[in-house]
Amino acid sequence: MTLDRKRDEEQISSGLTRRQLLKASGLAGTVLGSAGLGLLGYQAGKDPSTYTGNESFQGAAQTFDRNRFAVDVPHYEKVGPTQRVDARTEVVFSRVSRLRRQWEEETGAEGLDDQLKEYYARFPEDLETDVHLIEEIFPIHREEAERHRGQFLLAEAWSNAMGEVWPDAVDTPPEESDFPSGSHGEPAEPLKMKSPETTAVLIKKIAHQLGSVLVGITRLNPDWVYSHAMRRRGFDPEQPLEIPKHWEYAIVVGTPMSWDPMYANPNYGTSSDAYSKTRIVALRLTSFIKQLGYPARPHVPGTEYDLMVPPVVIDAGLGEQGRHGVVITPELGSNFRPAVITTSLPMKIDKPIEFGVQDFCRTCKICAENCPSGSISTGKREEVRGYRRYKIDSAKCHSFWFSNLGNLGCRICVAVCPYTRKSNWLHRTALNVTSNDPTGLSHTVLTQMQKSFYPAPDPQDYYLPLLGGKNESYRKPPWWLKTEDFIDL
Ligand code: SF4
Ligand code: SF4
């Protein structure tokens, strides 16, 4: 197996080879006159913030060198005849739940089924412990839980929200699906929140706890809601979608796509990893808000939305629209996938931001030059449904998805965008400079640097050989996605 893993990791994690990067730091230091830039040394791709929350998904936190301590046999010893565990009685949760169903004081152990009798005959001390639990401790626990319930309300709501794994989003009308019900099925009473400010702080912290990298809050602009709903959202798609009154606020959450495959778009990257993480975050946050007694409705990937997500992301202060039509954020560039939760929970809203993207896109055009289908305009923003924005030819874009082999979709425009770079000193400095440069001089310089140090294939080469191309990817795939190194084809 010829794994050129180290080189790949170096090049792909930074987007540059070591030599190129050293050159880049020198050039950038000179050109931008940013004194520290050339002196900070080589760190690209090594910064802990590089993965912005992905560590747990990529195993990067598993750093202990286990190989040094490897042994031939595990430390437990086989000393007699072995026996497999009987899950019906030897697993405490199933045994206690059976006992609860069967236990009556008058009949005692005699009233139990044969399996429990047999178990407790072998372990009589467990019978005493289990009976004490169900007769004495459970009632006390219930009583105390009722008395102190308020104290752990948020902890319980968070824990329950984390338990949401992959439920359906919603397929019933908002007046049914969005509202939380109380313990006996009646509508839940909304908890009295202290203030919109503290609620916003809480919701953002919880969103991060639930796995979101980005979170922002805005009032929902009705213009972004679909005029007619998608199927299986609880609306009649043939009728105009009437916006429910309780869709007052929109919370936006977002997580990044895996960086290294993303650079190897269009054929090795995927939207699915960020889609699924973001979806789970949104469903968890919906659950959390409902446990506070407020209505909430998730609008999530893959295709379960009642609204246009990108303008809501902009309203919530997370970024600006780029020429490629995707929102660019300061932290992740366009490398993220968002979801929205609509709710009436009163929260302090965020303001939109402008950190130089509109000016940068005016001259950059790298995405348009690299788009194989010509879907991205090189011209000015134009009016689309009453708003000025960059217009994308989504039909041509969609058609290209099937003109290249590998994972579905394309995302080349996301990968080539200078803003879509891992966090390291060079890119942070560049972001800082471009965000604070009213002259636009740094934009031209950085665009040229980008073109020099991140060479891309000819756009035609992304196409399949039968369509006149080479089925190329923007960067090489990460070592762990090279099928030929692991599987005999
Ligand atoms: S996804 Fe690909 S085809 Fe579509 S606009 Fe971006 S670069 Fe062009
Ligand atoms: S590649 Fe350039 S023009 Fe395109 S979205 Fe990114 S910054 Fe804007």
Side-chain angles (χ1 to χ4, degrees):
M1 188 185 292
T2 55
L3 296 178
D4 44 349
R5 168 180 169 178
K6 196 159 184 296
R7 201 190 63 220
D8 280 2
E9 279 182 338
E10 263 179 15
Q11 176 154 1
I12 293 170
S13 70
S14 66
L16 298 168
T17 63
R18 190 182 294 247
R19 244 180 62 226
Q20 285 172 321
L21 193 69
L22 287 168
K23 258 169 72 184
S25 61
L27 179 60
T30 311
V31 173
L32 300 174
S34 177
L37 195 56
L39 305 172
L40 288 170
Y42 173 65
Q43 297 177 39
K46 303 282 195 247
D47 192 291
S49 57
T50 289
Y51 285 98
T52 35
N54 267 331
E55 289 86 352
S56 59
F57 293 98
Q58 303 199 348
Q62 200 170 321
T63 54
F64 188 77
D65 181 5
R66 284 169 170 72
N67 288 334
R68 285 186 55 217
F69 301 93
V71 291
D72 291 333
V73 287
H75 56 80
Y76 52 75
E77 292 172 88
K78 185 173 169 185
V79 291
T82 60
Q83 200 181 9
R84 287 155 60 193
V85 170
D86 183 341
R88 298 169 303 180
T89 51
E90 290 180 287
V91 173
V92 65
F93 311 110
S94 31
R95 183 179 71 248
V96 169
S97 108
R98 283 170 81 123
L99 183 68
R100 281 181 92 174
R101 290 196 301 272
Q102 297 177 28
W103 180 257
E104 287 185 21
E105 214 177 322
E106 303 84 65
T107 49
E110 280 311 303
L112 301 178
D113 67 28
D114 289 346
Q115 286 153 13
L116 282 178
K117 268 192 208 150
E118 190 270 333
Y119 177 84
Y120 286 126
R122 281 197 290 141
F123 303 102
E125 65 282 6
D126 281 0
L127 179 62
E128 196 179 319
T129 307
D130 292 350
V131 169
H132 180 67
L133 175 66
I134 62 174
E135 290 212 311
E136 309 288 335
I137 298 182
F138 278 167
I140 291 173
H141 186 266
R142 264 196 304 275
E143 196 182 317
E144 292 281 23
E146 196 56 42
R147 191 174 303 145
H148 298 291
R149 186 164 186 275
Q151 186 179 351
F152 300 106
L153 205 139
L154 289 182
E156 283 172 17
W158 170 66
S159 169
N160 293 338
M162 286 298 277
E164 298 284 351
V165 185
W166 190 268
D168 288 337
V170 287
D171 58 1
T172 50
E175 55 276 19
E176 283 174 33
S177 65
D178 296 12
F179 284 84
S181 54
S183 47
H184 303 294
E186 78 286 4
E189 270 297 304
L191 293 170
K192 195 166 178 306
M193 307 304 289
K194 291 214 164 172
S195 73
E197 286 76 16
T198 52
T199 306
V201 170
L202 175 67
I203 289 298
K204 287 182 178 180
K205 176 61 186 167
I206 292 289
H208 290 308
Q209 281 297 125
L210 298 178
S212 195
V213 171
L214 300 172
V215 54
I217 301 171
T218 183
R219 277 193 185 277
L220 179 64
N221 178 345
D223 281 357
W224 310 141
V225 179
Y226 293 149
S227 67
H228 292 72
M230 289 179 161
R231 300 198 176 279
R232 294 193 303 278
R233 291 290 291 174
F235 293 99
D236 179 352
E238 301 309 318
Q239 297 299 322
L241 191 162
E242 204 169 305
I243 302 174
K245 282 198 174 51
H246 62 270
W247 292 6
E248 284 179 74
Y249 297 89
I251 305 164
V252 180
V253 292
T255 65
M257 296 175 270
S258 243
W259 284 95
D260 296 344
M262 185 276 300
Y263 287 136
N265 273 318
N267 27 25
Y268 288 93
T270 178
S271 303
S272 298
D273 59 344
Y275 276 168
S276 62
K277 283 181 276 177
T278 300
R279 178 187 170 96
I280 288 179
V281 170
L283 296 179
R284 285 170 170 174
L285 192 54
T286 301
S287 162
F288 183 83
I289 294 168
K290 284 185 173 178
Q291 290 176 77
L292 301 180
Y294 292 83
R297 184 176 183 88
H299 307 264
V300 291
T303 54
E304 292 165 87
Y305 308 98
D306 301 317
L307 42 75
M308 296 270 298
V309 174
V312 187
V313 180
I314 295 168
D315 291 349
L318 292 179
E320 291 182 54
Q321 190 210 26
R323 180 179 287 279
H324 53 5
V326 187
V327 176
I328 295 175
T329 66
E331 297 85 359
L332 302 170
S334 305
N335 181 29
F336 76 106
R337 295 298 191 211
V340 172
I341 297 111
T342 45
T343 179
S344 63
L345 176 67
M347 290 167 289
K348 179 171 186 268
I349 59 170
D350 295 300
K351 286 186 173 173
I353 58 169
E354 278 185 19
F355 60 106
V357 171
Q358 300 312 305
D359 279 345
F360 199 98
C361 285
R362 216 180 336 271
T363 52
C364 167
K365 303 183 183 178
I366 287 178
C367 53
E369 290 162 5
N370 284 277
C371 171
S373 64
S375 307
I376 302 173
S377 155
T378 52
K380 293 184 174 167
R381 296 182 301 161
E382 48 195 292
E383 187 180 327
V384 182
R385 292 188 205 89
Y387 289 94
R388 193 181 312 286
R389 49 162 293 184
Y390 286 112
K391 193 173 174 192
I392 305 301
D393 189 330
S394 54
K396 277 195 198 164
C397 168
H398 180 249
S399 169
F400 174 73
W401 298 3
F402 304 92
S403 308
N404 172 281
L405 272 191
N407 285 339
L408 184 65
C410 170
R411 299 165 295 267
I412 292 169
C413 48
V414 170
V416 299
C417 177
Y419 284 100
T420 307
R421 294 290 170 256
K422 290 180 181 179
S423 173
N424 59 46
W425 67 267
L426 180 60
H427 298 135
R428 278 196 301 274
T429 306
L431 178 65
N432 217 0
V433 171
T434 56
S435 306
N436 294 292
D437 175 11
T439 68
L441 181 63
S442 66
H443 300 184
T444 314
V445 171
L446 281 160
T447 302
Q448 285 314 317
M449 283 175 67
Q450 174 79 19
K451 288 180 181 176
S452 306
F453 296 120
Y454 291 88
D458 185 290
Q460 179 60 34
D461 290 346
Y462 290 119
Y463 280 84
L464 289 166
L466 285 178
L467 293 169
K470 299 177 183 168
N471 204 45
E472 275 279 13
S473 53
Y474 171 50
R475 316 295 293 174
K476 283 193 287 176
W479 63 270
W480 47 276
L481 285 182
K482 286 184 177 173
T483 311
E484 62 276 18
D485 283 347
F486 296 96
I487 296 172
D488 279 330
L489 295 169

